[in-house]
Amino acid sequence: MEVLLDKNRIKNFIEVLLGYGRVFASWEKEIFSNRGSKTRRFVREIKDNFSDYYIPKVRTFDNFKSFVLPGRFKVAEYPSEKWIDIGEKGEKEVLLGIKACDLNSFYMIDKVFLEDSLFVDPFYKKRRESLILISSDCGDSLDSCFCNVLGFSPYPEKGFDINIVELKEFYLLEIGSKIGEEISKNLSLNQAGKKELRERDEKRRKVKDKLEKQNREFSKAFFYLESIAEQAFDSDSGWELGSACVSCGACTNVCPVCYCFTLFDRKGEKENNYKRFMVWDSCQFKGFSQMAGGLNPRFSHIDQFKNRYYHKFFRFYKKFGVYKCTGCGRCIDNCLGGIDMREVFLGALEGVKR
């Protein structure tokens, strides 16, 4: 079902969302300094002063991973005789303006933390079920975006409660769930007509065309991706770009799909009381694979670098049938070594041919 929201009623829409829980939105702001101005896009909570809010055309610099996997949180406290039930659902959190790449990341992480037959993570399950997802189409693309070569679109196709498409005169709202339908009923909206649907399709076509044009030179490397990742892993040929990696872990931190973590304990405030925390980890850190006794199966720097590609595009694909990458391009934007994942695969492809 598709309905129309007048653009001047976005304030009413957010007020309805606030009735369901805390609202966190994609936000765009111009930052001024002595060196000029720069457009920044980030995620922030909306509480008030949102009458001039608009949804950015492209993804934010931040990802939305922390809403299901916080960077640091307590998982246990011991010793304790209390039985603590984590529960099924918590306070609702509404994510507004989330793009297709971030929406797809939840679908991928779900496979690890919700759909594994051996273990369902209760912390993840509780956070995931508390989310209301209000996604939005990309109205443009960044130079680093490459979702199209991975088979994705710059607009959400599933997994949202409501998806928003900005048209010239309206916001077109695509309803994707019962709660989305309930939210739209609060606003008494009119059904979209053929004219609006044609305008939506035309906008989507233009963004897809732009993506295909900017990623044309890389597409051949993504055609047999899992095969390249498997064959190239056992060779050092074609991985020359990896020498620029400084193992800072920025790529895994900004990645909406990387979920590696570690656990550590700290003494609590009371005597004989201890707390266990879960924090993000990175396969790009030197000690990530080190085992008891000092053995490290990925000792060399280039082996650590290659492992990230092998896991995302071969190992994860073999187990879950989907690549562990949404093509958001944040790893490209944030790499201190200036490494572009698309160029790495072009190099790996050439290495396989040699």
Side-chain angles (χ1 to χ4, degrees):
M1 181 172 69
E2 295 91 5
V3 292
L4 298 175
L5 175 74
D6 284 337
K7 285 194 171 179
N8 59 13
R9 292 190 65 199
I10 190 70
K11 180 173 179 288
N12 302 125
F13 181 64
I14 294 174
E15 286 171 344
V16 170
L17 295 180
L18 285 169
Y20 284 83
R22 298 173 69 186
V23 176
F24 297 86
S26 302
W27 200 278
E28 188 171 83
K29 188 175 182 181
E30 201 70 10
I31 306 293
F32 296 93
S33 70
N34 292 336
R35 289 180 288 183
S37 65
K38 199 168 186 178
T39 302
R40 303 290 295 176
R41 286 174 296 278
F42 46 90
V43 182
R44 58 162 286 188
E45 183 172 6
I46 289 184
K47 294 180 179 177
D48 47 30
N49 297 325
F50 48 79
S51 57
D52 59 347
Y53 175 77
Y54 65 92
I55 299 172
K57 291 183 183 299
V58 294
R59 63 159 173 77
T60 53
F61 292 91
D62 311 325
N63 61 48
F64 288 82
K65 177 171 65 177
S66 59
F67 287 94
V68 287
L69 292 171
R72 178 183 184 271
F73 70 99
K74 187 178 77 174
V75 295
E77 190 166 339
Y78 64 93
S80 174
E81 295 179 354
K82 292 181 182 177
W83 178 264
I84 300 174
D85 186 1
I86 294 173
E88 292 296 313
K89 295 180 181 178
E91 180 187 8
K92 288 288 184 188
E93 290 182 331
V94 183
L95 305 186
L96 171 61
I98 183 171
K99 300 300 184 190
C101 49
D102 286 314
L103 199 62
N104 289 333
S105 74
F106 290 143
Y107 166 73
M108 295 171 191
I109 305 177
D110 282 354
K111 294 190 173 301
V112 178
F113 291 92
L114 284 185
E115 299 173 16
D116 193 309
S117 58
L118 297 177
F119 180 71
V120 173
D121 187 307
F123 296 103
Y124 181 88
K125 185 172 186 286
K126 182 179 179 180
R127 294 193 184 96
R128 184 71 172 85
E129 291 178 345
S130 72
L131 296 181
I132 297 175
L133 301 173
I134 312 296
S135 58
S136 63
D137 277 24
C138 287
D140 200 351
S141 65
L142 300 170
D143 292 342
S144 55
C145 293
F146 60 100
C147 63
N148 66 306
V149 293
L150 290 166
F152 298 116
S153 298
Y155 51 85
E157 298 179 272
K158 61 182 179 180
F160 55 81
D161 293 297
I162 293 177
N163 181 57
I164 301 176
V165 189
E166 184 177 3
L167 305 180
K168 287 180 183 174
E169 298 179 14
F170 300 96
Y171 286 115
L172 185 147
L173 273 52
E174 298 174 318
I175 311 302
S177 71
K178 286 186 178 179
I179 197 165
E181 187 175 343
E182 183 183 304
I183 291 169
S184 69
K185 283 181 178 176
N186 284 310
L187 294 158
S188 303
L189 304 175
N190 294 323
Q191 195 84 17
K194 290 182 179 178
K195 177 187 171 187
E196 289 82 18
L197 296 180
R198 278 198 299 271
E199 186 181 344
R200 174 198 64 185
D201 294 343
E202 181 61 17
K203 281 184 68 98
R204 287 177 170 177
R205 185 190 63 74
K206 286 182 179 177
V207 180
K208 285 190 78 170
D209 286 351
K210 183 182 176 186
L211 274 170
E212 286 173 8
K213 185 177 180 181
Q214 74 182 36
N215 291 310
R216 189 165 295 148
E217 64 177 301
F218 306 110
S219 58
K220 62 181 179 182
F222 285 77
F223 200 61
Y224 296 109
L225 200 50
E226 73 279 9
S227 177
I228 294 172
E230 181 187 17
Q231 294 179 54
F233 183 71
D234 292 326
S235 169
D236 286 343
S237 179
W239 293 97
E240 288 78 6
L241 287 176
S243 62
C245 174
V246 295
S247 300
C248 66
C251 54
T252 55
N253 278 348
V254 298
C255 175
V257 192
C258 282
Y259 51 77
C260 287
F261 63 88
T262 190
L263 299 168
F264 71 91
D265 293 10
R266 285 285 185 271
K267 192 176 184 313
E269 296 80 12
K270 300 176 185 176
E271 189 176 358
N272 296 324
N273 172 262
Y274 298 88
K275 297 176 182 178
R276 177 161 295 173
F277 294 92
M278 178 175 169
V279 294
W280 291 354
D281 202 351
S282 172
C283 61
Q284 300 305 290
F285 293 158
K286 185 72 177 176
F288 180 77
S289 304
Q290 188 161 323
M291 298 182 286
L295 181 65
N296 191 336
R298 288 191 288 276
F299 181 75
S300 73
H301 177 261
I302 196 65
D303 280 348
Q304 295 165 35
F305 182 77
K306 288 193 294 183
N307 175 69
R308 179 165 172 264
Y309 290 83
Y310 184 72
H311 180 62
K312 278 181 171 294
F313 299 103
F314 180 74
R315 193 184 298 131
F316 194 89
Y317 180 82
K318 285 296 180 187
K319 182 168 184 177
F320 298 111
V322 61
Y323 299 129
K324 193 167 92 53
C325 176
T326 66
C328 70
R330 289 186 177 96
C331 59
I332 300 171
D333 293 339
N334 288 277
C335 181
L336 293 179
I339 300 172
D340 187 325
M341 176 179 275
R342 297 167 295 188
E343 293 176 353
V344 171
F345 265 110
L346 277 181
L349 175 63
E350 293 304 313
V352 169
K353 289 179 179 177
R354 288 172 199 162

